[in-house]
Amino acid sequence: LMGSAALLGGSLRQSLSIVVFLMECIGDIDVIVPLMVTIFVAHYAAKFVSERGLDEELMLRKGISYLEDELPKAMDNADIVAKDLCAQIPKRAWLAPRATASEAKVALME
């Protein structure tokens, strides 16, 4: 159990979800502390090997785009908010509170 926790914690970097998942699988609350210690050690040991988790590394190698967890350095001091990065929504794409399916389809095509 501790080995699988270390493997998942080190490769996927998902600490809390692994503790909850494995604790639920075996139904024993007494394993929380050993699981947390094991995953903590595996997580930080894996950071010395690679800065990214397995899933992120595979996405980068396959060329799949994803959102980084940090802002790009160029945006650190910029006075930009999310609204500035979004395009304006065309009026035809706005929906009434009780829109029909055909109106929603037209709005989605915009």
Side-chain angles (χ1 to χ4, degrees):
L1 180 70
M2 296 304 156
S4 63
L7 177 71
L8 291 170
S11 63
L12 299 180
R13 317 272 170 91
Q14 298 175 350
S15 308
L16 182 62
S17 60
I18 295 169
V19 170
V20 171
F21 174 73
L22 292 175
M23 189 200 64
E24 288 290 326
C25 285
I26 62 169
D28 186 8
I29 199 164
D30 294 332
V31 299
I32 289 179
V33 174
L35 278 174
M36 289 174 71
V37 170
T38 302
I39 291 171
F40 174 80
V41 171
H43 180 83
Y44 284 100
K47 278 193 172 188
F48 289 112
V49 176
S50 173
E51 75 178 52
R52 294 187 272 297
L54 177 65
D55 49 351
E56 291 179 35
E57 191 65 40
L58 289 174
M59 286 192 291
L60 284 174
R61 289 182 184 185
K62 291 180 180 180
I64 300 171
S65 58
Y66 68 98
L67 293 176
E68 295 284 340
D69 54 350
E70 296 291 328
L71 278 175
K73 297 291 182 204
M75 295 183 72
D76 276 347
N77 297 325
D79 292 331
I80 298 174
V81 293
K83 179 183 169 189
D84 299 334
L85 301 174
C86 297
Q88 289 287 20
I89 299 173
K91 291 284 188 189
R92 288 184 46 185
W94 290 13
L95 291 175
R98 295 197 180 265
T100 65
S102 59
E103 291 171 337
K105 184 176 179 181
V106 169
L108 288 172
M109 294 299 178
E110 288 295 318

